[in-house]
Amino acid sequence: MRFFFLLVFLLPLFLHSQNIEIVPAPARVEIKEGFFNYSKGLGIKMDEADEESTAIMSRFANQLFTTKRFKVPPVTNAENKIVLQLLSPNSNSSNDESYRIRISPDSVLIQSHSHRGLSYGCQSVVQLFINSPLTNQIVAAEINDFPQYKWRGMELDVCRHFFSKEIVKQYIDILAQLKMNVFHWHLTDDQGWRIEIKKYPKLTEVGAWRIEKDGRKYGGFYSQEDIKEIVLYATERYVTIVPELELPGHSSAAIAAYPELSCIPNEAKTIPNTWGIKKDIYCPSDFSFQFMRDVLDEVCKLFPGKFIHLGGDEAPKAAWKESSVAQDLIKKEHLKNEEELQHYFLKKMEDYLATKNKRAIGWGEIVKGGLSDSVVVMSWLSKHAGVKATEHGNQAIMTPRLFCYFDYPQRITDKRGAWYMTNLSLRKVYHFNPNAKSLSPEKQKLILGGQANVWTEHIANEKELRHQIMPRLAAMSEALWSKHEQKSFQNFKRRAKSISRD
Ligand code: ACM
C-alpha cells in the first residue's frame, strides 16, 4: 500500500522529467530510451550548408549562448553535437513549415525541407535546453511538427503610442520564438502617421507629432532606412511584415499634414490628442486617390510581403453625405450609398496593388459595401464578417476582439484599459479557435488563421506592452499552431511558465 502511494506521488515527477517542454505544443512527440548528455560541451554542425542555413545556424548558436550561456562552436567530430540538415525540397509536402527533431544519446538532429522549418526546429531545441529539468541533458525523443494555420499573426499599433525601432525588433523576436509568422504593423491612424513617405514629407514633419493635453509634443516615426532594417530583421526570422495604411477613416494625422485630403473645408485640421472615432476621413477625390497610389508606390517597395492592409474600419460617412465630391461620384458610378462608395475607394486601391502583384486586406466592415474577389477580410468585432467573407468565396483572418485583443485587461484586477474592454484571460485566449462551426469544410479552408491585436491607447511604454502580451501571446501561438483536439490548458500553463519568465 505504501509503495502504491509512493508510486502515485512519484510518477508525475518522473513523467514531468520526461516531458517535452515546447510552446506551441508540437504535433507529434515520441519519447525514446535514454538522454542526450552535453556535460562535456556542445558542438554544432550543418549538413550541406548554403548561405541561408548558415545564417540560421549562427543565430541558433547565438540564441543558445545568450539564453543558456552555452558556447556552441562548429564541430566536425561525432560527439555531443547538434546537426542541422536541410532536406531536398519536398514537392509532396503541403506544409513548408514542418520540421523533425531526433534526439538520441549522441546527437540532436534537426531536419526540414525548408529553411523556415529548419529555423522553427532550432526554436524548439532552444526551448528544450532552457526548460529541461535535468542537469546537462535532455530526454531522447522524436518530434514531428507542423502548424494547423498558415496565418499566425500579431498586430502592433504604433500610432496611439510610438514604439522605437529597438522595441519593434524585440517584439519580432518574441513572435519568432513562438513560431508566429506575421507582424501586422499598424502605421497610420488619427493620432500619428509613422512611416516616412518621401513624396509627402509633411506626413511625418507634421503628421507624426501631436500636442498632448499637458502641452507636451509627442510622437515619432520610422525613416525608410529604419523600415528596411526592420524588414530585414523580420525576414531573417521568418516573420512577414504586413504594413497597414488606413483608409478612408482613421486618417486625421494625414489630413492635418495635407488638408486637401478632407471633404470638410475651412476647418482647422489638428492631430487629435483624444481617442475614439473621428469624423474627418479621406475625401474620395482625385487628389486622395493619387495620394494613396503614391503612398502605396513607396510602401510596396519597402515591404516584400504579398499583403498590404488598407484598413476600412470605423469610417463614419457624415462628411461624405455632405460633400458634393462624394455625392457626385456616387451618381457618376451608379453607387447605392456611401458604403458602396467606400468599396469603390478600396477597390481602386486594391486594383492598383494588383498591378504590383500585391493583395489587399481590410477590416470586417468592408463586407458592408460589397466584396471584390481577391480582398482578404480581417474579422475583428466578432467572427461574423469573416464568415460572410468565406460564404462569398473570400479568404478571412479571424481576430475577434473578445478573444484576440491584448489591450484588454488580463485579469479583473488590472487597472489599465477603457470602458469597452472586457477581461481577456489566458484561458480564453488559449481556447480561441479561428474556425467557425457553421461553415462547411470547404469554406473553413478559406480561413487562413488568426491573430492577436495590440491597440495602444492605454499602453504607453515597453513595460506596459510586455505586461499586455505575455503570456497571452504564448497561448495564442498554441491556439494557431497546435491541434485543438490535443490541447490541454493545464499542460500549457506549466510549459508557459518558462516563456513568461523569459
Ligand atoms: C479595430 O479594432 N477598429 C480594427
Side-chain angles (χ1 to χ4, degrees), residues 244 246 250 313-314 363 365 378 380 401 405 453 455:
E244 183 181 357
E246 278 263 21
H250 287 290
D313 61 320
E314 300 178 322
W363 292 113
E365 285 94 323
M378 194 171 264
W380 70 276
R401 62 184 191 92
Y405 272 33
N453 295 334
W455 304 103

Side-chain angles (χ1 to χ4, degrees), residues 271-283:
I271 301 180
N273 59 13
T274 55
W275 316 129
I277 299 170
K278 310 297 174 195
K279 70 173 193 298
D280 211 355
I281 66 174
Y282 291 140
C283 199

